[in-house]
Amino acid sequence: MTTIFRLASSSSPSLRHDATPHNFHIRKTSISNTFSFSSKNSLSFKRILTSGGSRRFIVAASPPTEDAVVATEPLTKQDLIDYLASGCKTKDKWRIGTEHEKFGFELGSLRPMKYEQISELLNGIAERFDWDKVMEGDNIIGLKQGKQSISLEPGGQFELSGAPLETLHQTCAEVNSHLYQVKAVAEEMGIGFLGIGFQPKWERKDIPMMPKGRYEIMKKYMPKVGSLGLDMMFRTCTVQIATALFANSPFTDGKPNGFVSMRSHIWTDTDKDRTGMLPFVFDDSFGFEQYVDFALDVPMYFVYRKKKYIDCTGMTFRDFLAGKLPCIPGELPTLNDWENHLTTIFPEVRLKRYLEMRGADGGPWRRLCALPAFWVGILYDEVSLQRVLDMTADWTLEEREMLRNKVTVTGLKTPFRDGLLKHVAEEVLELAKDGLERRGFKESGFLNAVAEVVRTGVTPAERLLELYHGKWEQSVDHVFDELLY
């Protein structure tokens, strides 16, 4: 699940110490990315201020976007920096957006949904609950209603991207409404949905690919840059956030896989050019410009023109700025191209015109509400944020990378300095609770879903493994009942 946060406003194009981060989208799920990355990253983003550029742009709301008019002048690097800075907001406009993915399956056979079933489900939700259909050619690929959208990941993972909302009560109610609508239509079709971070039973070859042009390009490219990229595309579900705390993907092909978060491990060998923790974000000088420099050199996937995806793999946006893309020779990019390119970069925390906190495994309903609560309590409260920053200030690059890799296997039991990561989690969860209480919206109860995990140090994945080796008698099929939405 992912949580999205808006950026703080000010007057400088760089990230500075006197600004504050706003509107964090907590999307996919991952606790192994550790508190160091989330907190440090948010700390760096705490220095964000809006730039005072004179040019104004209108950019479509969600990718893939196409340009209404042809660019009249070449984009500059400063335009790209200003685009990111334009997301900065004053504190009264800070909002929370949540995204989560889930696996659809046939209740009788436990087989994955086919696209034809997904199409029927999307059409049913649209007609019954007044959503607008999103089409790619003749295929329905999503729905929109106001600022909410439903989209499909490559293997048919069903994703809600929520509206930017003010309180956790509102965003949790939005999740409830979404699950009610999906269930109302899906149950009549004999379809259920599973809240887990990695597909526990099906092999990759069993999972259908959704009819979206960008996924065809990615499917061809992934094996060239990593060994696990196709598993990322077709067999993971995220709720973006803290990895160890929400670790919930211990099964592969019907058996334990040796990890508590297989989903998080997969990202370590997907595509090193566009994933990871981005060491430069921990530098005191980090700002929008450094992120732009990074993104300019991330290999592109595609350019979107005339409702078609053009394969531009291997080229960079820096090449594009210079008009040197062989796939569209001589063409220069627009801000819509830049917006689309930013959606193809997958670090643990992603910067667009908001912060997207990635890294958490998919899970059951209560944890869908706990994830944004965890981040909001830390990132939207100055006292808690500063204390987390102080706590992690002397963590080294080597320690952060160690935690990122080890937490996928040992979760909160990962040794760290003089104790375990569990002890860090206890302190951070208390800071999140304090931050929520200071907000004054009576939101701290949403953290109850993870309080027991922190108290015991036993991750959701380890609970599933206990059941697997106990009353489930080593049959993973029971997880479809255990984690059914």
Side-chain angles (χ1 to χ4, degrees):
M1 179 152 137
T2 304
T3 304
I4 299 171
F5 297 86
R6 295 300 171 208
L7 305 179
S9 73
S10 186
S11 56
S12 159
S14 63
L15 302 181
R16 296 189 11 206
H17 295 282
D18 53 347
T20 26
H22 307 332
N23 261 21
F24 295 88
H25 284 47
I26 296 174
R27 298 171 186 263
K28 325 228 168 190
T29 310
S30 189
I31 274 197
S32 166
N33 310 156
T34 75
F35 303 100
S36 72
F37 184 72
S38 336
S39 53
K40 254 301 201 184
N41 213 26
S42 57
L43 186 20
S44 298
F45 284 116
K46 189 183 175 191
R47 328 186 234 258
I48 295 184
L49 306 179
T50 32
S51 64
S54 58
R55 298 174 66 181
R56 292 181 177 273
F57 306 93
I58 297 176
V59 181
S62 60
T65 56
E66 286 195 272
D67 305 290
V69 295
V70 176
T72 57
E73 57 183 300
L75 285 177
T76 67
K77 178 179 165 181
Q78 187 60 47
D79 294 328
L80 308 183
I81 294 170
D82 291 347
Y83 170 83
L84 292 178
S86 69
C88 293
K89 301 288 187 296
T90 54
K91 187 170 183 176
D92 62 304
K93 295 179 180 177
W94 294 1
R95 295 293 183 268
I96 309 155
T98 57
E99 294 181 358
H100 81 275
E101 302 165 10
K102 48 204 168 292
F103 293 107
F105 65 95
E106 296 175 351
L107 289 169
S109 68
L110 305 184
R111 300 291 299 171
M113 280 197 299
K114 303 178 181 68
Y115 172 71
E116 292 73 20
Q117 294 168 306
I118 293 172
S119 175
E120 181 183 346
L121 177 61
L122 288 171
N123 279 304
I125 294 171
E127 291 158 10
R128 192 176 304 186
F129 298 104
D130 197 28
W131 288 72
D132 296 324
K133 299 176 185 180
V134 178
M135 308 295 292
E136 185 168 318
D138 295 331
N139 297 312
I140 185 169
I141 59 167
L143 303 172
K144 289 189 72 68
Q145 187 181 82
K147 294 184 178 180
Q148 299 180 76
S149 64
I150 294 172
S151 59
L152 303 177
E153 291 297 298
Q157 301 95 319
F158 214 73
E159 179 174 21
L160 170 71
S161 297
L165 300 169
E166 185 176 4
T167 73
L168 290 166
H169 299 289
Q170 293 168 346
T171 197
C172 196
E174 177 188 62
V175 170
N176 285 346
S177 175
H178 167 72
L179 293 178
Y180 166 77
Q181 293 179 12
V182 170
K183 190 173 181 179
V185 178
E187 280 188 341
E188 295 175 0
M189 300 171 53
I191 296 296
F193 281 91
L194 178 67
I196 198 167
F198 187 82
Q199 174 42 239
K201 184 176 175 69
W202 315 317
E203 295 182 28
R204 190 197 300 160
K205 64 180 177 61
D206 298 324
I207 299 175
M209 188 174 81
M210 297 300 100
K212 297 175 72 171
R214 66 184 289 166
Y215 294 157
E216 188 63 46
I217 293 171
M218 291 172 67
K219 183 182 179 182
K220 293 176 182 176
Y221 183 71
M222 284 294 180
K224 301 176 183 178
V225 291
S227 66
L228 299 175
L230 294 179
D231 279 323
M232 178 278 293
M233 290 179 65
F234 294 103
R235 297 206 286 179
T236 63
C237 269
T238 311
V239 184
Q240 258 65 313
I241 306 188
T243 303
L245 191 55
F246 294 86
N248 191 43
S249 48
F251 303 115
T252 301
D253 298 341
K255 299 177 181 178
N257 53 32
F259 294 87
V260 294
S261 180
M262 182 65 182
R263 184 210 55 79
S264 182
H265 169 69
I266 280 172
W267 280 106
T268 66
D269 193 10
T270 291
D271 183 346
K272 296 188 185 303
D273 288 329
R274 69 187 72 241
T275 63
M277 296 203 295
L278 309 185
F280 61 84
V281 304
F282 298 95
D283 297 341
D284 287 340
S285 61
F286 174 60
F288 288 122
E289 183 172 4
Q290 287 92 329
Y291 195 88
V292 167
D293 281 331
F294 157 69
L296 281 172
D297 292 320
V298 171
M300 297 178 65
Y301 282 152
F302 61 82
V303 172
Y304 194 66
R305 291 289 184 273
K306 298 179 180 178
K307 301 189 182 300
K308 292 186 181 298
Y309 291 92
I310 301 170
D311 189 335
C312 296
T313 50
M315 299 293 102
T316 68
F317 209 90
R318 199 179 296 275
D319 297 326
F320 201 1
L321 278 182
K324 296 179 179 178
L325 283 192
C327 53
I328 46 171
E331 269 202 56
L332 294 171
T334 66
L335 280 180
N336 285 353
D337 293 318
W338 179 237
E339 179 182 22
N340 288 337
H341 178 57
L342 292 176
T343 70
T344 69
I345 301 172
F346 311 116
E348 294 299 332
V349 174
R350 177 159 64 184
L351 173 61
K352 293 194 272 191
R353 283 184 294 180
Y354 48 78
L355 290 179
E356 181 179 300
M357 314 303 288
R358 302 164 58 86
D361 287 0
W365 171 78
R366 290 193 181 279
R367 290 206 294 275
L368 296 183
C369 297
L371 185 60
F374 174 79
W375 287 118
V376 168
I378 294 168
L379 297 172
Y380 279 0
D381 179 75
E382 289 296 311
V383 175
S384 291
L385 178 60
Q386 187 59 53
R387 287 181 180 171
V388 171
L389 289 172
D390 292 343
M391 179 195 308
T392 60
D394 66 343
W395 290 14
T396 66
L397 171 63
E398 293 73 22
E399 285 176 323
R400 292 193 299 267
E401 288 296 333
M402 179 277 291
L403 287 172
R404 170 68 183 84
N405 293 324
K406 293 285 185 66
V407 77
T408 63
V409 178
T410 49
L412 292 172
K413 297 182 180 67
T414 303
F416 183 64
R417 295 193 172 180
D418 296 330
L420 301 175
L421 188 61
K422 171 183 181 293
H423 303 136
V424 179
E426 289 171 340
E427 188 171 352
V428 173
L429 188 67
E430 192 62 30
L431 290 173
K433 180 180 178 182
D434 291 345
L436 290 177
E437 290 177 348
R438 279 189 287 267
R439 273 167 54 85
F441 294 122
K442 300 186 183 300
E443 299 166 315
S444 60
F446 289 111
L447 292 174
N448 292 343
V450 292
E452 181 71 4
V453 175
V454 172
R455 187 186 68 79
T456 62
V458 178
T459 63
E462 290 166 297
R463 296 289 188 200
L464 293 178
L465 288 168
E466 289 175 8
L467 291 168
Y468 175 85
H469 290 293
K471 70 177 185 178
W472 292 358
E473 298 180 340
Q474 299 188 5
S475 171
V476 78
D477 289 2
H478 295 282
V479 77
F480 290 85
D481 291 324
E482 183 74 18
L483 296 180
L484 177 70
Y485 280 114

